[in-house]
Amino acid sequence: MRPVSVVGVGLTQWGKRNDVSLGELIVESAEHAFKDTKGLEPKDIEALYLANAQSERFTEQAHPANLVAEFLGMSPKVASRIEMACASGGAAIRNAFFAITSGQADSALVIGVEKMCNVPSPEAMRNLCLVEDLTWESFHGMIPPSGFALIASRYMHEYGVTQEQLAKIAVKNHKNGSKNPIAQFRKEITIETVLESPMIAHPLNLFDCSPISDGSAAAILVPAKEARKYNDTPVDVIGSGQFMEPSFNCSNMQSLTTWRALVNAANNAYSMAKLKPKDMDLAETHDCFTIAELIEYEDLGFCKKGEGPKLVDSGDTEIGGRIPVNPSGGLKSKGHPVGATGVAQIAEVTEQLRGEGGPRQVDGATTGITQNLSGFATHHVVHILRRQN
Amino acid sequence: MTEQPTDLPYTLVYPQTQIKQFWDNLAQNKFTTTKCPKCGVLWPPKSTCPNCGDKAAEWIDLKGTGEIYAKTLVGAAPPAYKELLPYILAVGKLDEGILVVARVEKAKYEDLKIGTPIKIEIKKSFGLDSYVFIPA
């Protein structure tokens, strides 16, 4: 295995992007990523991974990876679209990591994209429902928020957490997102905003939920030895882990409140990096719902099981705290264009480790972790990044 | 092949030939699943055990009783579910140890706790043979 570095990242403006087509949105993030390198061009790229969950449903365009090749004028020798629902981005980064570390490619471009606001929001919700088990869950009225609401009810029973404590996670992420120029929502909110917003699935209100978004993110990976040719501050991918539970719906999960797939993916990434949770300076995690970020604190090892609510109250997950989580604003405030999310997490941690976080910079950060999930939290991808010495 | 209701967030419930028995039993008012000789009761029913790959799973009757394991009151959902709103959705832990997802009917959300006894009631949903939980 040869070491791998990130030498370029790029993001588009996230939110409602009726001004561009799917292809144009893809090009926008890719162009930013190439500009972020010293002179790499699309024609130099040997491997292309496009993370996208549902371009067929949202934009009636299938086969989007080939679209990239035409829009960017590239002809990669390895090319794939990666579909893992909300974890498509993380899975695509992991594939690019494999392509480079194995020596099969000397450069890889990962683009994550989703254009969800093309359809009315009830239709977008319907599309997202397709991720649940059709026969045994969706048919009965399971939708993504209700799945995480069930998890929340179980967490409340087993360990105890209040709606106020969950709301604090949304408040923190909106505060961080207010400092992120690409974020969909750049407005700070209060605990009352969350508690007084419409109930979506008890105990989760509208402001406990991430939005429907358009957006794209890109990252360029090369062998670590070559990295300084393309960027003055390369960021190495030193840990990569992925795990899927032998369970599609919630019936076969060992626990709704300890996500076995996350614990295993995180353990794999930590052991590859030869680091521990306490070595992380920041984290970008998958806060599709506030309860998700809470459980992620515990399963990523930032605190003991059941102590997530205490960690929230301590303020230690704020920028400036012991382990800042989602300095980008997270899915909650930055937005959640499904296929782009996991790639954007890599982009945020890369910028933070270079010291380019601007008003949301985590001071002195050298090592960071990303976590991207899909389905009923039954599939997780974790990456650990460190600034190259 | 059963006619599908329109506008639901899925397009295919039937056929599922390997577990056709489940739907046949349900139509006869029997709530059943499969049991692997090595791993025990499976849910959802499967002809092949997902744990050990054994294909000798047998059909068994479920008592249809259990308790609330997790619960929520759904207040917003895509148009297909509009007529049901608001509805209670639960994970029920049945006496046989399996976790089953279904709506809870004939109950007030405020009265339901984790551990509240429930039972399966077989009834049609969206015109198809289905089941819900009701308080036991």
Side-chain angles (χ1 to χ4, degrees), chain A residues 4-10 31-41 106 218-236 346-347 349-356 385-389:
Chain A
V4 177
S5 297
V6 180
V7 293
V9 292
E31 281 181 345
H32 288 309
F34 282 110
K35 259 187 226 145
D36 191 36
T37 68
K38 290 193 283 186
L40 266 174
E41 292 177 36
D106 287 329
I220 297 169
L221 282 67
V222 302
K225 252 167 66 181
E226 313 282 314
R228 273 181 207 278
K229 272 200 276 185
Y230 306 115
N231 198 300
D232 292 331
T233 320
V235 167
D236 296 341
I346 295 290
V349 172
T350 298
E351 289 179 350
Q352 287 279 352
L353 300 184
R354 290 179 188 160
E356 295 170 357
L385 279 68
R386 187 169 60 194
R387 189 173 65 216
Q388 198 179 97
N389 286 323

Side-chain angles (χ1 to χ4, degrees), chain B residues 50-63:
Chain B
N51 306 311
C52 69
D54 197 300
K55 291 185 189 302
E58 286 180 356
W59 287 93
I60 59 158
D61 290 340
L62 291 165
K63 281 195 278 179

Side-chain angles (χ1 to χ4, degrees), chain B residues 14-64:
Chain B
Y14 302 110
Q16 300 186 19
T17 47
Q18 294 186 350
I19 55 160
K20 184 172 178 295
Q21 191 73 41
F22 175 82
W23 306 105
D24 291 347
N25 290 343
L26 200 62
Q28 312 234 341
N29 214 35
K30 279 203 304 191
F31 196 61
T32 58
T33 191
T34 55
K35 183 178 180 178
C36 168
K38 290 180 209 147
C39 305
V41 183
L42 303 176
W43 183 266
K46 288 182 184 71
S47 58
T48 303
C49 176
N51 306 311
C52 69
D54 197 300
K55 291 185 189 302
E58 286 180 356
W59 287 93
I60 59 158
D61 290 340
L62 291 165
K63 281 195 278 179

